[in-house]
Amino acid sequence: MNFELKSLDLAACAAEKCDALIVLVSEAFAPAKDALSQLIAQARASGDLEAKPGKLLQMYRPAAAAATRVLLVGVGDGAARHVRQAVATAVAAAKGPSLRKVLISFAGADAQKSVRAAVQAVAEATYVYTTTKSKPEGRTLSQVWLCAPDAAAAQAELALGTATVAGVELAKEWGNRPGNHATPTLLGTAAKSLARFPKIRCEVLGPKEVAALGMGSFMSVAQGSKEPLRFIVLHYSGAAKTVAPTVLVGKGITFDTGGVSIKPAAEMDEMKFDMCGAASVLGVFRALGDLKPAINVVGLIPACENMPDGGAVKPGDVVTSMSGQTIENLNTDAEGRLVLCDALTYAARFKPRAVIDIATLTGACVVALGGVRSGMFSADDSLAAALQAAGESALDPCWRLPLDDEYGEGLKSNFADMANVAGRAGGAITAAKFLQKFTGKMPWAHLDIAGTAWKSGAAKGATGRPVGLLLDYVLNQPPALIESAQAAPKSIVRRKMATQAIPAKTVAKTAAKTPRKTAAK
Ligand code: BES
Ligand code: MN
Ligand code: ZN
């Protein structure tokens, strides 16, 4: 699917042959003298077209346009989230086997503010998963023109939008694949193939290397499965080695049966989505490969299956994590935190400016926030503010939840340094408190995406969240921390982040230690 910006007003759009012309009509729309503008003015005056976001009026071969279909759609005040809703509604209505070329006219909306949202909405409305279908019918839409009189000014937003789409679609692809088509080994090869982009390197560690690192907690989750675990390390190096990276850690449970503490049968298939945190990390790297910003990012993915088996970890077993802390496994279904804790310990070697883990971690987070906002936890106010802002800007929102020490009390164990569960109350928070024990002094945040990473029911499928949030966050790192900020491509627009000022002393002075290059077994 190819997106292009075109400097065309509404009259020029109307003259262009296409399968569908979508006109975004805001409250502020001022009709010109051309026939289509006049038609819109009439429809508005008669009450047949409302500026309310998503309100739609469709026409077939109207004399006023060369398009087969014209869709007038309200965008309210023209805010990005209204544009997203309007474009989603219009593209869904126009969708069909003959839809190949679409024009979107921003005549009534600010293209610069909403092109990213429009691009994402078109992609979302036309996305189809095909990998495991015998007769794949993919997307037919191939050409999308985004038209505004001042279209050229929106070039950076278009680049951000198309890169986000590429990342989101990679995350959806891996999220949607069934467990037998998305094993830890296959995730490893998917990560390796990202190294085809300049500035991206990837190493994939296997069971032997992970054992040598002492990741006893991660290994205990994998031990009930025939599929060998993988520990994926991705590097995006867009800035000098002296610039501290952001480390993204994605939960990569390629299938979560619950282990010996087995889950009930109903909807267990959805536990193939338990690697959506990992998929979002792959998605961010895919987008960085396109955008090439002057930043450093490390991606860490502990990937394995959680299976019951004669060799599986048992309730009550005590394991030793890479940090040296011992953990009593009181519920083998609380496995996400057990793979993440060792990855967080590993993250410290990069002396990161921030570590963010992304995980489909708890059913409790789904109860708390549903599918609208991801749960966000951080003891660092500036990091929390930056993630919150990134979520709003990318229309991929999150909501901060607390981390009071009292929430961690239930994790006490009589037989180890801690237990992996703390009872039902505040389950999303106690999970975050567990992870926090492995973060030392690193600025750290945890995103619980259990409610937002996929949809259930008829529209079952991965959402690609929170690729948009994460990408917006890493691109808006305070320039003071980026040594080669001047060399940053002009196409990447940084948001002003008053709340994100981080003292210069947090900048790592030494080069990040790179782990020994090792091959997967
Ligand atoms: N992958 C699940 C979390 C999950 C459950 C996400 C349902 C989305 C929907 C995680 O590994 C898990 O099983 N968590 C347990 C933790 C509990 C045993 C403390 C949960 O949430 O029930
Ligand atoms: Mn589980
Ligand atoms: Zn899980």
Side-chain angles (χ1 to χ4, degrees):
M1 199 173 26
N2 188 35
F3 291 91
E4 281 174 82
L5 285 168
K6 298 278 177 184
S7 293
L8 301 174
D9 63 10
L10 188 50
C13 285
E16 190 68 33
K17 264 188 92 81
C18 60
D19 302 307
L21 166 59
I22 296 169
V23 186
L24 306 179
V25 185
S26 72
E27 287 149 3
F29 176 76
K33 292 235 155 21
D34 63 283
L36 187 54
S37 294
Q38 289 303 313
L39 212 59
I40 294 170
Q42 279 172 32
R44 274 222 308 212
S46 64
D48 287 327
L49 176 67
E50 287 177 61
K52 244 171 112 176
K55 281 280 176 188
L56 188 67
L57 182 63
Q58 296 193 57
M59 296 174 273
Y60 189 69
R61 294 194 188 282
T68 311
R69 272 171 287 188
V70 176
L71 299 98
L72 309 178
V73 59
V75 290
D77 58 5
R81 65 181 206 282
H82 295 149
V83 168
R84 181 171 76 174
Q85 190 191 342
V87 172
T89 308
V91 174
K95 220 164 113 176
S98 60
L99 192 70
R100 292 206 150 70
K101 179 175 174 182
V102 168
L103 260 66
I104 300 178
S105 164
F106 286 76
D110 182 343
Q112 208 164 321
K113 281 199 192 122
S114 54
V115 154
R116 172 170 44 154
V119 166
Q120 280 192 258
V122 172
E124 173 78 39
T126 54
Y127 171 84
V128 238
Y129 169 82
T130 57
T131 308
T132 44
K133 301 260 194 174
S134 69
K135 295 181 189 69
E137 282 176 32
R139 169 187 268 147
T140 57
L141 182 59
S142 58
Q143 225 188 340
V144 183
W145 286 15
L146 304 150
C147 312
D150 60 343
Q155 202 59 52
E157 283 70 22
L158 175 65
L160 183 53
T162 54
T164 308
V165 164
V168 162
E169 295 200 347
L170 184 70
K172 283 185 180 181
E173 167 65 18
W174 284 95
N176 284 334
R177 282 191 186 210
N180 62 332
H181 291 261
T183 59
T185 305
L186 286 168
L187 272 193
T189 48
K192 282 235 160 188
S193 83
L194 287 168
R196 70 185 184 274
F197 290 98
K199 301 180 202 279
I200 297 183
R201 276 186 302 129
C202 175
E203 1 168 16
V204 180
L205 311 190
K208 272 195 189 155
E209 293 84 31
V210 165
L213 284 164
M215 294 185 165
S217 183
F218 175 25
M219 290 193 306
S220 74
V221 175
Q223 76 188 40
S225 170
K226 289 219 166 86
E227 289 291 337
L229 62 74
R230 289 290 182 265
F231 189 72
I232 300 166
V233 185
L234 279 156
H235 296 265
Y236 171 80
S237 310
K241 275 191 183 155
T242 46
V243 176
T246 300
V247 178
L248 304 176
V249 181
K251 172 178 172 183
I253 299 294
T254 59
F255 196 82
D256 181 11
T257 64
V260 170
S261 315
I262 199 161
K263 287 180 180 295
E267 278 120 49
M268 206 212 267
D269 66 291
E270 296 192 8
M271 285 299 116
K272 71 172 183 175
F273 294 117
D274 213 17
M275 35 56 71
C276 282
S280 75
V281 174
L282 297 181
V284 170
F285 275 78
R286 173 67 186 79
L288 292 175
D290 273 356
L291 292 170
K292 305 173 192 68
I295 56 171
N296 290 333
V297 183
V298 172
L300 301 178
I301 298 175
C304 69
E305 286 183 339
N306 185 23
M307 298 288 281
D309 167 88
V313 69
K314 305 173 293 298
D317 283 2
V318 172
V319 298
T320 305
S321 68
M322 186 182 176
S323 72
Q325 298 177 93
T326 59
I327 305 162
E328 184 186 12
N329 189 334
L330 286 179
N331 188 325
T332 66
D333 199 10
E335 86 297 340
R337 61 199 79 181
L338 296 177
V339 306
L340 291 169
C341 68
D342 282 339
L344 288 169
T345 301
Y346 188 86
R349 68 179 57 202
F350 301 107
K351 299 187 170 59
R353 58 180 295 282
V355 183
I356 303 163
D357 75 75
I358 311 102
T360 49
L361 203 63
T362 65
C365 193
V366 189
V367 174
L369 296 173
V372 180
R373 286 178 184 261
S374 303
M376 183 258 286
F377 301 81
S378 183
D380 184 314
D381 288 342
S382 63
L383 179 54
L387 289 169
Q388 178 80 32
E392 303 303 326
S393 152
L395 303 179
D396 185 358
C398 62
W399 198 258
R400 190 179 185 182
L401 293 168
L403 278 172
D404 302 86
D405 280 341
E406 287 82 349
Y407 284 109
E409 273 162 23
L411 293 169
K412 292 207 168 97
S413 160
N414 292 346
F415 307 104
D417 298 344
M418 71 192 86
N420 70 332
V421 291
R424 276 170 55 82
I429 310 171
T430 57
K433 289 306 287 183
F434 177 92
L435 294 176
Q436 194 178 28
K437 292 179 187 289
F438 298 85
T439 57
K441 290 201 167 68
M442 299 185 288
W444 159 78
H446 158 58
L447 292 170
D448 192 332
I449 58 166
T452 53
W454 76 89
K455 290 182 182 155
S456 307
K460 192 190 286 180
T463 60
R465 291 178 69 181
V467 169
L469 179 159
L470 293 169
L471 191 60
D472 193 292
Y473 168 77
V474 295
L475 293 176
N476 283 289
Q477 293 180 31
L481 289 177
I482 299 171
E483 202 177 64
S484 49
Q486 297 316 311
K490 286 219 176 61
S491 61
I492 311 296
V493 217
R494 288 206 172 79
R495 203 175 39 239
K496 279 197 188 126
M497 295 287 304
T499 50
Q500 212 187 343
I502 294 174
K505 66 175 188 309
T506 61
V507 183
K509 289 281 182 312
T510 48
K513 212 169 90 192
T514 340
R516 206 160 36 88
K517 199 171 166 81
T518 24
K521 274 275 132 54

